[in-house]
Amino acid sequence: MTVRRNVTPWVPSALVLTALLATGCAGEKGGTARPAASSSSATPHGYVEGAREAAEQQSRLLLNDPDSGNTRILDLLTGKVHRTAEVRDAVRLGTDGRFGYLHTPGGTHVLDSGAWMVDHGDHVHYYSAVTRDVGELPAGSRAQVRSDAAVTAVTDDGRTLLYDRGKLEKGEIASPRTLPGTHAGAVVPYEEHLLAFENKGGTTRLVVLDRKGARVASPDVTCAEPRGDAVTRRGVILGCADGALIVRARNGAFTAEEIPYGKDVPAKERATAFRHRPGSDTLTAAAGEDAVWVLDVTERTWTRVETGPVVAANTAGEGPPLLVLESDGALHGYDIATGKQTARTKSLLTDGKRAGTDGNAPVIEVDRSRAYVNDPEGKRVFEIDYNDDLRIARSFDLDVRPVLMAETGR
């Protein structure tokens, strides 16, 4: 692999202060860090067996070519590429921040990127470990995988299997537990519970389940045609035909609030898949062929930004531009408040025909400082400084076609 640099190589700034690292978090929820059983002061704070804690984000890109099956993990700090198991015929690549899930017609292959983050709200921990090929889940190309620190929920055709997340972290796929009943859309682990939709009498209602599948709450809300979800610091966003729901847990109680579009939106223009920077409360979704929805979770508002033909969209959050990869192959930046285009790159795609809208279309991955765009036919990934007029900071030349791409470690 060749790394092309237009500027001095970027090294992320340290995001965790020493004072914060000294803050205790043994009793906090929501992270994968597990303190040792002993309370001995000899055990380092935030200790995770087999992992190295770092003071900066350990970003890595998972890359796959469905035709050849070639799969790589690109370390964005060192520029090194790790080879892993061949996975052919993948139609989608998802991630939960650490693991990659390559969905094929015959099963879902699990890769451990060896990079992840534990977010405790007032501070975060970054970890890195060796990359690892974990194995296969018995779930097809349409399966939806959602995780938290303890459980990974795999929903396929309404049936949900729950896997022990701790076993996955050790490279094992343990026998799953089957969640009773059938559910519409993905089952989302949240606050030591599961959020799911049950369809009874033609009405789809939100229910909150414990880890054994028993109902513990049923907020008085319905959601027609649920599609799309995202976990934010302010709660879980669930897409519906007339907008979205935000579900939150406070003092052990779950509440759900509607965030309607405010007008009738044709089915082909609804938000059905959300993209955002992990930790951000600003979500994006295609709004038909030539526009993008921006959902401000804090303000509970939808903004429709008119663009060119959309291939992919994302944003780092409040302040940075809306990033839209359009069918001309260029990355465009838009001011979310005004809808005006503020910047544009040259075409980043070697073959314009790859700029389609199918499941294998290029994507935009965003972290705290950079965005990444994959050029499958050019066998490259571009690193974009979105705070500097979409400047191309680096380009990575690869030995595989990065048709599918996902970022971990954020």
Side-chain angles (χ1 to χ4, degrees):
M1 182 202 72
T2 301
V3 180
R4 298 176 181 171
R5 296 178 172 87
N6 289 3
V7 294
T8 303
W10 167 67
V11 178
S13 60
L15 298 177
V16 184
L17 299 178
T18 302
L20 291 180
L21 285 174
T23 303
C25 56
E28 296 181 65
K29 302 175 183 178
T32 57
R34 291 177 174 82
S38 171
S39 60
S40 169
S41 59
T43 301
H45 169 72
Y47 173 76
V48 176
E49 184 178 359
R52 179 181 66 87
E53 184 169 4
E56 59 191 12
Q57 187 171 283
Q58 305 293 293
S59 296
R60 295 176 181 176
L61 293 178
L62 305 181
L63 307 165
N64 173 264
D65 175 10
D67 292 337
S68 67
N70 289 328
T71 307
R72 303 287 187 266
I73 300 177
L74 169 61
D75 189 317
L76 292 169
L77 289 181
T78 66
K80 293 182 179 180
V81 174
H82 305 274
R83 292 174 176 264
T84 186
E86 288 189 359
V87 182
R88 295 179 182 270
D89 302 322
V91 297
R92 286 188 300 118
L93 170 58
T95 182
D96 57 15
R98 173 175 178 172
F99 294 94
Y101 302 95
L102 283 159
H103 299 278
T104 75
T108 295
H109 198 87
V110 185
L111 300 174
D112 185 350
S113 73
W116 67 96
M117 177 186 73
V118 178
D119 187 349
H120 288 301
D122 63 342
H123 69 287
V124 296
H125 297 273
Y126 297 106
Y127 295 97
S128 65
V130 297
T131 62
R132 182 158 44 189
D133 178 55
V134 180
E136 295 278 337
L137 298 175
S141 58
R142 298 174 60 186
Q144 301 184 77
V145 182
R146 305 292 185 266
S147 300
D148 66 4
V151 67
T152 294
V154 181
T155 306
D156 194 6
D157 289 331
R159 178 170 173 261
T160 300
L161 299 179
L162 302 178
Y163 290 86
D164 185 332
R165 169 77 175 209
K167 296 291 185 180
L168 288 180
E169 293 171 0
K170 295 179 180 179
E172 306 171 19
I173 297 179
S175 298
R177 292 186 294 107
T178 301
L179 194 66
T182 59
H183 303 95
V187 172
V188 181
Y190 175 62
E191 289 292 327
E192 302 181 5
H193 289 77
L194 303 168
L195 305 182
F197 286 109
E198 292 182 350
N199 193 329
K200 291 187 177 181
T203 301
T204 305
R205 292 189 175 276
L206 173 69
V207 294
V208 181
L209 310 174
D210 65 19
R211 294 296 168 82
K212 294 183 179 180
R215 184 185 300 190
V216 298
S218 183
D220 188 21
V221 292
T222 60
C223 179
E225 303 173 29
R227 288 184 65 186
D229 55 88
V231 179
T232 75
R233 288 190 172 187
R234 295 185 181 274
V236 178
I237 297 296
L238 304 169
C240 306
D242 58 355
L245 299 176
I246 177 170
V247 183
R248 293 181 293 171
R250 288 184 176 180
N251 300 320
F254 289 82
T255 62
E257 178 184 348
E258 296 178 343
I259 309 178
Y261 290 122
K263 61 180 180 180
D264 291 334
V265 175
K268 65 180 181 179
E269 296 180 7
R270 295 171 185 165
T272 58
F274 296 106
R275 301 280 293 176
H276 73 307
R277 175 182 62 78
S280 167
D281 295 323
T282 304
L283 312 183
T284 66
E289 297 180 355
D290 302 302
V292 174
W293 287 113
V294 179
L295 173 56
D296 186 325
V297 178
T298 304
E299 299 296 330
R300 312 288 199 271
T301 57
W302 294 90
T303 301
R304 191 174 191 271
V305 179
E306 301 291 338
T307 66
V310 178
V311 176
N314 211 330
T315 186
E318 184 178 357
L322 168 66
L323 304 177
V324 183
L325 183 66
E326 300 184 11
S327 61
D328 60 2
L331 184 66
H332 299 250
Y334 292 87
D335 181 279
I336 296 174
T338 66
K340 293 183 178 180
Q341 180 172 298
T342 57
R344 178 184 182 277
T345 69
K346 65 179 184 180
S347 177
L348 302 179
L349 302 182
T350 300
D351 184 353
K353 291 184 292 185
R354 291 299 307 169
T357 55
D358 59 12
N360 289 351
V363 298
I364 304 169
E365 292 288 350
V366 178
D367 58 35
R368 290 181 179 273
S369 300
R370 298 289 190 264
Y372 297 91
V373 178
N374 52 323
D375 173 20
E377 299 308 313
K379 295 184 177 180
R380 292 177 297 184
V381 171
F382 291 97
E383 180 182 83
I384 308 296
D385 185 347
Y386 53 78
N387 287 317
D388 189 12
D389 293 327
L390 307 188
R391 175 176 57 85
I392 298 175
R394 292 188 292 179
S395 64
F396 299 91
D397 290 347
L398 306 162
D399 66 341
V400 300
R401 295 169 61 245
V403 176
L404 301 177
M405 182 177 79
E407 185 176 0
T408 64
R410 300 173 297 176

